[in-house]
Amino acid sequence: MSIGYACQTIGIPNTSSKNCTLKNANEEKLYQIISYNLDSLDHILNYNINNGIKLFRISSDLIPFASSPANTLEWWNLFQAKFIELGDKIKKHNIRVSMHPGQYTVLNSPNTDVVYRAIKDLEYHNRVLDSLKVGKNHKLVLHIGGIYNDKEQAMLRFITNFKTLDQRIKDRLVLENDDKLYNIKDVMEIASQTNSPVIFDNLHHKINPCNDLRDEFSWIQECKCTWEQEDGNQKMHYSEQNPLKRLGSHSNTINAEVFFNFYNNINREDIDIMLEVKDKNLSAVKCINAVSKEKSIKNLELEWSKYKYLVLEKSHEDYNSIRKLLKEKDNYPVIPFYNYIDHAMEKESAVGGSVNAAQHVWGYFKECATEKEKKLFESKLSSYTEGKISLLPVKKLLWQLTNQYQQNYLLDSYYFADVIETI
DNA sequence: CACCGTCAAGTCGCA
DNA sequence: TGCGACTTGACGGTG
């Protein structure tokens, strides 16, 4: 059983992706962007390896305009060595990767141009996975598409167009229920014709259920049968509704207890769960810890070291509660621990808490920083207190000092997540 | 420097 | 018939 996240990280340096507009796209620019994105992917893989995350979705933005005539680069040749290096790393560490062409890749459109572009896009995605030389258990996830006033015909068109695809693409494709048009029953029906494995998405199912009384766990079990030996373990998507946004919007974070119960209800080891959530890797680590068999408080202490100063900034009350919670070294209070973290993270930072946390972080440099650096920090912090600047420049300075003086305890801190986002 | 609209992709739903 | 929502970083323009 693996738990993973999609496309991007939070709070991890050198893992961002770049893109460009069609207008600015040229060979040199595209080359640089691809090179940058492949390096970022490398750093993401390193992070995943170091944090025991074995499931990851590679962003479709890896190669900009890859399925468009605007990109004339033979990127699979130009970066062949890098792809092989990345693929070796993936295989060596037993990571399962996937890709997920977005909502604009529509294989069942009545418009032949749209279908042509969809096929080009599937070829692109498959080419990335082929370039990594990873097996057929590393999947391409696809939705069915539109309805165009005639669902039956639209489903048939999907099946017909699917059959024209290259065998290597067919072998990788897996089909997912969506939140509007094709429910899990529809997808199962189509998949039985295309011989494709099916991804069950729990939130899509909640929003777009089928006229069938079976609960989500029965459907998960049903979907298992569509996964054959060479497809690898069954995969599913798990997400929770953001209560403040429109129906279908992913939550900011996964609730540890809700996930724990869901996972225990599935009660199987041979399933991989892709989380779709705003805080990405943070929730992946959270969910891994929530269901971990190794119930050691050391894992929570490691998490605490990363969240600590952000929690201190947002909520001194939760900060104190967590400190108290972690004093009992024989316990593994994973659910209350993350409940306090979530509670703190929901809060907006106030000036008092922000100053307090910044001063705590500054404490790491009290001994080593020069007088000039000290002056700079104090002046930035008072500018912030006086409302002249935002908190970001203060954190940027602390981040720079963290790197300069290699303060290991701070290097992995989520306190700097918003700074890292701007680099 | 901060903020906002636009861009790319395709479909659906609502004026 | 046409526009907003969905997604996300780049980019150009305004204050």
Side-chain angles (χ1 to χ4, degrees):
Chain A
M1 190 278 307
S2 303
I3 294 168
Y5 65 100
C7 305
Q8 302 165 300
T9 60
I10 301 281
I12 313 303
N14 308 314
T15 60
S16 66
S17 80
K18 284 198 190 297
N19 213 331
C20 68
T21 53
L22 255 186
K23 214 171 129 186
N24 296 306
N26 60 55
E27 290 208 336
E28 196 194 334
K29 177 141 193 155
L30 288 169
Y31 185 96
Q32 281 173 0
I33 292 173
I34 295 166
S35 178
Y36 180 93
N37 288 350
L38 288 171
D39 284 341
S40 285
L41 176 57
D42 200 352
H43 297 133
I44 291 174
L45 291 174
N46 291 342
Y47 164 80
N48 290 343
I49 291 161
N50 291 332
N51 289 272
I53 299 172
K54 302 279 188 190
L55 190 68
F56 178 68
R57 180 189 302 163
I58 296 170
S59 168
S60 296
D61 292 337
L62 186 70
I63 315 289
F65 302 106
S67 56
S68 151
N71 189 337
T72 51
L73 288 181
E74 291 192 10
W75 48 268
W76 56 93
N77 285 329
L78 292 167
F79 296 96
Q80 187 182 36
K82 186 68 186 176
F83 272 103
I84 287 173
E85 182 194 331
L86 292 170
D88 284 347
K89 194 173 274 191
I90 288 164
K91 286 178 276 187
K92 182 180 169 194
H93 294 278
N94 220 4
I95 292 175
R96 190 184 197 189
V97 295
S98 61
M99 294 187 85
H100 189 358
Q103 57 198 304
Y104 305 116
T105 307
V106 185
L107 190 59
N108 77 338
S109 174
N111 180 333
T112 51
D113 288 341
V114 171
V115 175
Y116 174 81
R117 285 193 287 272
I119 293 170
K120 287 283 150 206
D121 205 38
L122 291 174
E123 286 170 352
Y124 150 60
H125 284 88
N126 185 60
R127 186 164 235 163
V128 171
L129 296 178
D130 276 357
S131 299
L132 293 168
K133 299 191 189 292
V134 293
K136 302 295 180 201
N137 56 326
H138 301 255
K139 294 299 188 184
L140 280 181
V141 184
L142 186 67
H143 290 292
I144 305 303
I147 282 183
Y148 318 93
N149 300 317
D150 187 342
K151 195 167 186 177
E152 206 178 317
Q153 280 302 310
M155 285 165 78
L156 283 172
R157 207 159 46 239
F158 182 92
I159 294 161
T160 308
N161 292 345
F162 182 98
K163 287 181 176 162
T164 69
L165 296 171
D166 186 292
Q167 186 61 40
R168 292 177 311 162
I169 297 177
K170 285 185 201 165
D171 288 346
R172 280 207 202 275
L173 275 179
V174 299
L175 310 181
E176 181 194 350
N177 59 319
D178 65 70
D179 59 354
K180 285 194 179 72
L181 307 177
Y182 292 95
N183 61 43
I184 189 63
K185 207 171 170 180
D186 301 326
V187 175
M188 288 292 267
E189 193 181 320
I190 294 165
S192 71
Q193 298 296 307
T194 59
N195 242 331
S196 306
V198 175
I199 294 248
F200 178 83
D201 183 306
N202 74 314
L203 184 59
H204 292 165
H205 183 67
K206 252 177 215 157
I207 296 166
N208 182 24
C210 50
N211 59 352
D212 193 309
L213 293 174
R214 278 177 283 184
D215 69 3
E216 54 185 352
F217 302 104
S218 314
W219 279 111
I220 291 168
Q221 206 54 33
E222 192 90 355
C223 289
K224 178 180 155 65
C225 310
T226 64
W227 294 77
E228 290 173 15
Q229 185 77 37
E230 60 268 27
D231 295 315
N233 274 352
Q234 176 184 2
K235 284 184 68 177
M236 66 162 291
H237 291 173
Y238 178 90
S239 56
E240 294 169 5
Q241 173 68 42
N242 183 323
L244 304 175
K245 293 195 177 166
R246 60 147 193 99
L247 213 56
S249 278
H250 296 146
S251 60
N252 289 331
T253 194
I254 302 289
N255 181 288
E257 189 171 13
V258 174
F259 181 81
F260 178 82
N261 291 332
F262 179 87
Y263 179 81
N264 285 320
N265 269 318
I266 295 180
N267 194 25
R268 269 176 43 207
E269 276 296 310
D270 59 343
I271 186 164
D272 289 351
I273 304 176
M274 176 62 72
L275 305 176
E276 293 181 323
V277 58
K278 210 158 175 220
D279 73 355
K280 303 287 180 186
N281 50 306
L282 274 58
S283 273
V285 174
K286 180 199 282 185
C287 290
I288 289 169
N289 283 335
V291 302
S292 171
K293 285 191 183 121
E294 187 213 323
K295 299 184 190 305
S296 162
I297 200 158
K298 284 206 158 53
N299 295 331
L300 302 184
E301 287 169 345
L302 180 61
E303 278 284 81
W304 181 228
S305 73
K306 298 177 186 177
Y307 278 105
K308 182 182 281 182
Y309 295 110
L310 194 52
V311 170
L312 182 62
E313 176 183 307
K314 286 170 176 285
S315 165
H316 209 293
E317 198 187 339
D318 291 312
Y319 178 87
N320 286 334
S321 302
I322 295 171
R323 275 170 51 116
K324 204 171 150 191
L325 191 66
L326 294 182
K327 276 187 180 148
E328 297 287 335
K329 298 297 175 198
D330 296 329
N331 292 355
Y332 187 67
V334 63
I335 303 294
F337 172 77
Y338 282 115
N339 282 346
Y340 284 128
I341 298 266
D342 292 353
H343 185 250
M345 301 301 276
E346 273 172 22
K347 292 192 176 161
E348 286 298 320
S349 303
V351 175
S354 299
V355 170
N356 186 33
Q359 281 168 339
H360 270 73
V361 173
W362 168 257
Y364 286 83
F365 310 111
K366 254 185 188 154
E367 305 297 318
C368 55
T370 63
E371 198 57 34
K372 203 175 153 192
E373 285 162 345
K374 190 181 173 190
K375 285 258 155 61
L376 188 59
F377 172 72
E378 281 167 356
S379 88
K380 279 235 158 94
L381 191 61
S382 47
S383 294
Y384 166 70
T385 317
E386 291 156 22
K388 288 180 188 160
I389 58 169
S390 68
L391 184 60
L392 200 62
V394 180
K395 285 198 180 185
K396 275 190 175 173
L397 175 62
L398 290 169
W399 177 240
Q400 183 223 312
L401 294 168
T402 296
N403 284 282
Q404 189 179 319
Y405 294 110
Q406 284 293 302
Q407 288 294 340
N408 287 327
Y409 194 85
L410 295 177
L411 279 167
D412 293 332
S413 176
Y414 301 141
Y415 179 73
F416 294 115
D418 48 358
V419 177
I420 287 165
E421 219 176 286
T422 68
I423 307 172

